[in-house]
Amino acid sequence: MRRVVCPGSFDPVTYGHIDIIGRAAKQYDEVFAAVLNNVNKRGLFTVPEKLDMLKEGVSEFGNVRVTEFDGLLVDFCRENGIETIVRSLRSVSDFDYELQIAQMNYRLSGVETVFMTANPQYSFLSSSLVREIAQHNGDVSSLVPPYVQDRLRKKYAERAGQ
């Protein structure tokens, strides 16, 4: 069985994330969509919120398992019998950064990294841009699913009310 992981912070999940996970699901037997639980980094959404949004986003893919991990991704791979990491490349600058990580992961554990180019429709898209637009009440309807839009609105309304 060929298992891969699509790791990320997914803060929040975007159509770009869902596209890459879906494309991986067509190529591999089992895909782990793994949310990084980084206790040193405070995101907009909690890990349980991210897991819920990601589960909803990938629900159409029967071979995708949504989970979380902390620590080193290569340890998560070892514990789950995963030999390949799938990462998206949006630009040349992404490649420089991702190549260093891929080489370190390979050196640490022999885990391979496969790069998928972003769908041109989403090549500019990042969670941080979505958060910035949403924070200023901008339209993110073409960037994230409706349930993510709703959660963004609620989250920023809560923060404004504090």
Side-chain angles (χ1 to χ4, degrees), residues 75-128:
D75 291 338
F76 175 84
C77 291
R78 192 177 303 114
E79 292 163 9
N80 290 282
I82 296 168
E83 297 178 357
T84 307
I85 299 165
V86 174
R87 297 291 295 172
S88 174
L89 296 176
R90 297 171 296 184
S91 65
V92 172
S93 61
D94 278 358
F95 179 75
D96 287 340
Y97 174 75
E98 293 291 344
L99 179 62
Q100 290 176 23
I101 294 170
Q103 290 172 331
M104 182 58 75
N105 286 337
Y106 185 79
R107 181 178 178 118
L108 290 173
S109 67
V111 172
E112 294 285 356
T113 299
V114 171
F115 296 116
M116 286 188 174
T117 57
N119 180 324
Q121 184 177 352
Y122 307 121
S123 63
F124 62 91
L125 184 54
S126 71
S127 293
S128 57

Side-chain angles (χ1 to χ4, degrees), residues 30-145:
E30 188 172 19
V31 176
F32 288 74
V35 176
L36 173 61
N37 181 8
N38 185 344
V39 294
N40 298 321
K41 186 176 177 185
R42 182 158 155 51
L44 178 62
F45 293 99
T46 65
V47 170
E49 290 171 324
K50 293 176 196 180
L51 290 168
D52 286 345
M53 288 186 283
L54 190 53
K55 283 177 186 170
E56 192 164 347
V58 301
S59 62
E60 69 184 270
F61 311 116
N63 61 334
V64 175
R65 204 159 125 190
V66 176
T67 189
E68 68 179 280
F69 74 99
D70 54 15
L72 295 176
L73 179 58
V74 293
D75 291 338
F76 175 84
C77 291
R78 192 177 303 114
E79 292 163 9
N80 290 282
I82 296 168
E83 297 178 357
T84 307
I85 299 165
V86 174
R87 297 291 295 172
S88 174
L89 296 176
R90 297 171 296 184
S91 65
V92 172
S93 61
D94 278 358
F95 179 75
D96 287 340
Y97 174 75
E98 293 291 344
L99 179 62
Q100 290 176 23
I101 294 170
Q103 290 172 331
M104 182 58 75
N105 286 337
Y106 185 79
R107 181 178 178 118
L108 290 173
S109 67
V111 172
E112 294 285 356
T113 299
V114 171
F115 296 116
M116 286 188 174
T117 57
N119 180 324
Q121 184 177 352
Y122 307 121
S123 63
F124 62 91
L125 184 54
S126 71
S127 293
S128 57
L129 286 175
V130 168
R131 289 191 310 269
E132 185 174 346
I133 294 165
Q135 182 178 8
H136 298 287
N137 298 313
D139 181 10
V140 295
S141 60
S142 64
L143 310 175
V144 297

Side-chain angles (χ1 to χ4, degrees), residues 7-21:
S9 61
F10 303 106
D11 191 33
V13 64
T14 69
Y15 283 132
H17 293 129
I18 295 167
D19 179 66
I20 291 294
I21 293 167

